[in-house]
Amino acid sequence: MRLNRREFIKLSGLLAAGGIVPPALLSGCSSRRLPGTGKLTATPTVCDICFWKCAGTVHVEDGLPWKVVGNDDDPHSTGRLCTRGTGGLGAYEDRDRLRQPLLRVHQNGKQTFKPVSWDEAFGFIAGKMQTIAEKHGRDRLALLAHGSGGSHFERLLKAYGSHAYAHPSFAQCRGPREVAFGLTYGEGVGSPDRTDMEHSRCVVLVGSHIGENLHNGQVQTLIDAINQDATLITVDPRFSVAAGKSKYWLPIKPGTDIALLLAWINVLINEGLYDKDYVARYTVGLDQLTQHVQPFNPEWAYLETGLDPELIRDTAYAMAASAPATLVHPGRHVTWYGDDTQRERAIAILNALLGSWGRKGGFYIQEKVDLPAYPAPQPAKPETDWKAVVQPEFPLAPTGISQKILQACAGPEAYFKGLFVYGTNLPHTIPDIKATLEAAADNLDLFVVIDTLPAEITGYADVVLPECTYLERYDDLRNSPERVPSLALRMPAFEPSHDTRPAWWMARQLAVRLELGEYFPWDDYADVLDWQLKQVGSSLEEMQASGVKRYPRKTPLYFADRQDIRFQTPSGKIELYSRTLAEHGYDPLPVYTAPEKPAENYYRLNYGRGPAHTFGRTTNNPLLFELMPENAVWVNPRVASQWQLKNGDYVQLKNQDGVISNRVRVRVTERTGANAVFMVHGFGHTARGLRLTSGVGADDAGLMTNVKLDPIMGGTGMRANFVTFVKA
Ligand code: SF4
């Protein structure tokens, strides 16, 4: 759809004009003293480059950024940051950062952004919000958010009268896992993942490329397991870094993981290798499961997966031999083929048979600090249940589904009239969403984007609010459920650059203008943090010095032997057979469906992370860009020879629906099979304001026009796309 009312605006010219390169980037080594010899300050932070939230310390020398290092007391990082976290200073130094609020205006028959004051921007937004409330109702405003500051806009939304928000991390990432484990155990895996790999004797990775995907603490515990000679089993069509460290590598045919998981369950049950006491004590549904898996022996699985039946048996024996210290890892980004909740259910069931949930070397019991909320009135709940209107087909989704919210912003009958997007570049996050986004932009009465960078999403907004980076602001205390309860402080290491501000300040300013200030009873967020810390025996002053405070556990880390446990499922047991799924008309036990086959000369598009980049936002970070300036498409030598492609050639990729990518470099490697190609996510930006990365590499999300919707929780399966080559 062509944009009418709200045209897509490219920010490049506007932002490039007068763009100032930060002095730290221009100065070079020669003009600075030796690092560490100037006037130094050290400030606590919590890394925001990915969601692992490692605590660290920012070292500033003579007012200029020097380095950021891990905090030794931090259970998330144990004193070490990953490559990306170490490069976090680049987010502060990025010359392309948004600098001031921008308002969409019409000039000479064209739409453009005009830099405005905060007062003008807030006045515009508050006016539109008031009109929406009067004309349509307060529940017609929605929020899509990713990242720490999103909580402040959630508070604003609730105070205003709407509970309609979603995090793309649910429907585009780990939602199937959380729903599947919730159905099976009554609770999800959570973040950080409650995997006890440091004590595992056997770790099974199904498509998880830990080591390339640097979830810091998790990588460290996997290395601990490997150093202690744990058996590593990696299931991946690609020879990943983890596969290279594994005793068993299972190069499975893409899309057939459930077949393998069912065969493993078949072997464990039929050969009596499951934990009989644990299963009898804690689970329901073994009889139905036993009957269900009878046809799915390793010989059957061989025909689907291409894996030798003996390899399937041997790996099942290896898992059983180390149980319960065997962890079948649930993965993190698991929205692949649309049957993802069922695949995650199969993983949850396999872990239950091995007795690993709540056991050392399997899944530990998480605990966090009992941190009171700052005293403030609680807004009333809206009368309408927006989920019943916007996503009624997914009653088992415990939270908002981002693409459903966006669909409910598009079209003349749209439910939502206003949308806030915080910290998430939707065109690169939600697959096949561009047309919906354009229709939403054409239709909404208010479209606000809050970000640090002029990413593609900003081009759709009425108002762009520039947030300062995580190195320039306070945020909520990090209080993640973990092995060791702890709090960590993020505080400003620098004054906000340009005319940027923190999210807590923006949300409060808007609330005051809307006469909702009572829900934000503070002037400075530091006061909120200090009050909270004092309730748990600390203070802001103490945390400004230490950055992290650990607390003793109040509950055990694992189940006691033969402990009586009531799980939070309807039966109070671990549900191998899910009555909830049956009652909602879904398969109560995981069912395998063979994946679609590619047309001739098409290859499945696999994607993942590289160690230098997390999301599209890190590719413009000058420090991380230097480490990995472009992505490459991995091509098997057989395929490369057929297409006469050499290492370093550039090609374009064309998907099954004719969408053609930007040009991308070829990497010829045996590490991917002949039926698939692979690329690192986050490249192929078109926003010209991202001057380093715009036009570089290919965008995997842009090639995902075949999206397989998970019927249970609305996840967008993204691995059902095939590409062929167009010579560049
Ligand atoms: Fe930062 Fe790396 Fe930790 Fe993520 S894993 S929070 S990028 S240091």
Side-chain angles (χ1 to χ4, degrees):
M1 178 183 283
R2 198 175 60 79
L3 283 178
N4 297 323
R5 200 176 65 72
R6 199 180 268 108
E7 287 173 0
F8 182 83
I9 299 177
K10 298 208 169 180
L11 282 168
S12 59
L14 189 77
L15 290 173
I20 302 163
V21 179
L25 282 183
L26 284 179
S27 55
C29 297
S30 57
S31 62
R32 290 183 68 171
R33 284 187 273 195
L34 276 178
T37 58
K39 183 169 176 292
L40 301 173
T41 58
T43 312
T45 192
V46 174
C47 180
D48 200 36
I49 301 296
C50 89
F51 39 74
W52 205 257
K53 299 184 180 168
C54 299
T57 307
V58 186
H59 293 268
V60 176
E61 184 171 18
D62 297 331
L64 294 173
W66 174 22
K67 63 179 179 180
V68 54
V69 297
N71 184 316
D72 288 338
D73 286 334
D74 178 32
H76 290 227
S77 68
T78 58
R80 285 172 282 177
L81 299 186
C82 77
T83 326
R84 301 169 312 200
T86 309
L89 291 174
Y92 169 71
E93 295 179 319
D94 194 326
R95 64 184 176 153
D96 293 334
R97 285 176 55 179
L98 292 165
R99 291 155 187 272
Q100 65 276 302
L102 301 170
L103 182 65
R104 178 182 292 268
V105 292
H106 291 78
Q107 265 177 13
N108 306 325
K110 286 191 78 175
Q111 296 184 24
T112 184
F113 280 127
K114 174 180 135 192
V116 293
S117 67
W118 282 99
D119 202 43
E120 203 174 335
F122 289 146
F124 178 89
I125 297 168
K128 290 280 185 187
M129 286 173 76
Q130 260 152 357
T131 309
I132 290 170
E134 284 156 20
K135 271 177 63 184
H136 307 287
R138 291 180 172 270
D139 57 343
R140 301 311 172 95
L141 194 68
L143 166 70
L144 297 173
H146 189 259
S148 319
S151 62
H152 304 293
F153 282 91
E154 267 180 43
R155 174 178 282 274
L156 174 68
L157 213 70
K158 285 180 182 167
Y160 173 80
S162 170
H163 281 222
Y165 54 82
H167 308 285
S169 55
F170 177 73
Q172 278 71 52
C173 193
R174 64 189 172 97
R177 171 185 98 170
E178 297 306 306
V179 171
F181 275 69
L183 287 163
T184 312
Y185 295 100
E187 52 187 322
V189 177
S191 183
D193 311 349
R194 57 169 75 189
T195 49
D196 196 27
M197 278 194 287
E198 68 185 90
H199 298 118
S200 298
R201 302 303 309 138
C202 176
V203 175
V204 185
L205 301 178
V206 183
S208 287
H209 53 306
I210 299 173
E212 288 154 279
N213 197 3
L214 290 181
H215 300 154
N216 191 358
Q218 186 155 245
V219 178
Q220 293 184 34
T221 54
L222 179 62
I223 291 168
D224 288 345
I226 292 170
N227 286 343
Q228 288 159 34
D229 281 335
T231 302
L232 184 55
I233 300 169
T234 298
V235 181
D236 201 320
R238 192 173 63 94
F239 191 67
S240 61
V241 169
K245 309 277 177 212
S246 297
K247 178 166 182 192
Y248 298 99
W249 172 43
L250 281 64
I252 194 168
K253 266 192 221 158
T256 64
D257 308 77
I258 294 182
L260 172 65
L261 292 161
L262 290 172
W264 273 339
I265 293 171
N266 172 299
V267 173
L268 291 183
I269 292 179
N270 286 352
E271 301 199 27
L273 298 173
Y274 62 95
D275 186 332
K276 296 186 191 70
D277 182 62
Y278 184 96
V279 168
R281 187 175 296 278
Y282 296 131
T283 73
V284 288
L286 180 64
D287 290 348
Q288 291 105 317
L289 179 65
T290 303
Q291 208 182 345
H292 177 68
V293 297
Q294 286 317 302
F296 309 129
N297 60 24
E299 284 67 29
W300 166 83
Y302 164 67
L303 298 174
E304 300 299 324
T305 63
L307 299 170
D308 183 341
E310 286 317 305
L311 182 59
I312 297 175
R313 281 201 176 82
D314 286 349
T315 44
Y317 300 156
M319 285 185 238
S322 296
T326 294
L327 175 85
V328 186
H329 197 290
R332 180 109 188 174
H333 172 82
V334 291
T335 41
W336 298 351
Y337 305 110
D339 54 0
D340 305 301
T341 304
Q342 291 293 16
R343 187 184 64 255
E344 289 294 316
R345 275 265 303 147
I347 289 175
I349 289 168
L350 194 54
N351 279 299
L353 293 175
L354 294 162
S356 64
W357 184 263
R359 308 282 282 282
K360 190 171 181 180
F363 295 83
Y364 62 79
I365 301 165
Q366 295 159 314
E367 189 178 310
K368 62 188 216 176
V369 180
D370 195 5
L371 186 71
Y374 189 81
Q378 284 306 307
K381 277 198 170 172
E383 281 174 13
T384 36
D385 175 4
W386 71 271
K387 281 196 233 153
V389 180
V390 169
Q391 49 187 61
E393 66 274 48
F394 300 110
L396 295 182
T399 182
I401 297 171
S402 40
Q403 77 276 9
K404 295 298 297 180
I405 284 193
L406 215 47
Q407 285 159 11
C409 292
E413 303 301 319
Y415 184 78
F416 295 117
K417 303 297 175 192
L419 178 68
F420 281 72
V421 177
Y422 172 88
T424 176
N425 189 22
L426 299 179
H428 282 242
T429 305
I430 305 178
D432 201 27
I433 205 67
K434 226 172 150 203
T436 309
L437 198 51
E438 288 175 3
D442 205 30
N443 188 60
L444 287 165
D445 294 343
L446 174 67
F447 196 153
V448 182
V449 169
I450 305 107
D451 215 313
T452 57
L453 286 171
E456 285 79 0
I457 186 65
T458 55
Y460 297 90
D462 290 315
V463 192
V464 180
L465 301 180
E467 190 184 23
C468 53
T469 66
Y470 72 99
L471 297 163
E472 302 161 288
R473 65 186 200 230
Y474 283 108
D475 264 317
D476 284 323
L477 293 162
R478 188 203 70 197
N479 182 17
S480 308
E482 244 275 14
R483 183 190 312 270
V484 183
S486 70
L487 296 176
L489 175 70
R490 175 184 293 159
M491 65 176 287
F494 310 99
E495 286 296 311
S497 306
H498 319 296
D499 198 6
T500 62
R501 294 285 189 279
W504 68 261
W505 180 84
M506 298 180 210
R508 186 177 179 282
Q509 291 295 316
L510 273 168
V512 169
R513 274 169 181 75
L514 291 158
E515 298 183 357
L516 300 169
E518 63 181 306
Y519 299 106
F520 293 76
W522 48 80
D523 290 324
D524 190 332
Y525 212 64
D527 298 340
V528 176
L529 304 181
D530 191 42
W531 183 90
Q532 283 187 294
L533 286 163
K534 283 182 173 146
Q535 312 312 303
V536 290
S538 183
S539 66
L540 188 58
E541 191 181 355
E542 183 192 23
M543 291 294 282
Q544 284 171 339
S546 67
V548 172
K549 185 172 170 106
R550 293 181 174 225
Y551 288 79
R553 282 188 73 101
K554 293 180 179 156
T555 56
L557 191 58
Y558 310 113
F559 297 162
D561 196 27
R562 300 176 182 214
Q563 183 184 345
D564 272 343
I565 297 159
R566 183 169 171 86
F567 293 84
Q568 322 253 319
T569 54
S571 63
K573 301 272 190 182
I574 299 170
E575 300 203 343
L576 306 179
Y577 175 97
S578 171
R579 269 218 336 248
T580 306
L581 284 176
E583 281 163 12
H584 284 84
Y586 303 115
D587 292 316
L589 290 159
V591 169
Y592 169 70
T593 314
E596 284 173 17
K597 291 203 168 75
E600 200 182 348
N601 292 330
Y602 276 75
Y603 312 91
R604 188 175 294 268
L605 174 63
N606 279 339
Y607 58 89
R609 308 268 182 240
H613 294 293
T614 317
F615 307 114
R617 65 176 45 228
T618 58
T619 54
N620 206 64
N621 173 319
L623 302 178
L624 300 179
F625 177 86
E626 200 175 316
L627 291 177
M628 184 180 176
E630 64 181 324
N631 60 354
V633 57
W634 293 27
V635 182
N636 181 274
R638 227 170 349 124
V639 178
S641 138
Q642 180 197 336
W643 286 87
Q644 298 182 323
L645 296 172
K646 302 187 303 298
N647 247 337
D649 283 353
Y650 279 91
V651 288
Q652 288 171 286
L653 301 175
K654 182 168 83 168
N655 81 354
Q656 69 284 333
D657 297 317
V659 176
I660 297 182
S661 76
N662 190 26
R663 66 177 210 151
V664 59
R665 199 163 46 83
V666 170
R667 175 177 172 187
V668 180
T669 171
E670 296 276 4
R671 291 176 60 191
T672 185
N675 50 11
V677 297
F678 170 84
M679 70 167 80
V680 168
H681 169 75
F683 288 86
H685 284 283
T686 53
R688 290 206 302 264
L690 302 174
R691 283 179 283 174
L692 270 185
T693 196
S694 183
V696 179
D699 170 23
D700 54 333
L703 292 164
M704 294 171 189
T705 49
N706 185 25
V707 179
K708 297 288 183 196
L709 208 59
D710 189 317
I712 299 174
M713 49 60 71
T716 50
M718 306 183 214
R719 294 207 174 162
N721 292 275
F722 301 95
V723 293
T724 191
F725 303 102
V726 179
K727 291 264 183 93

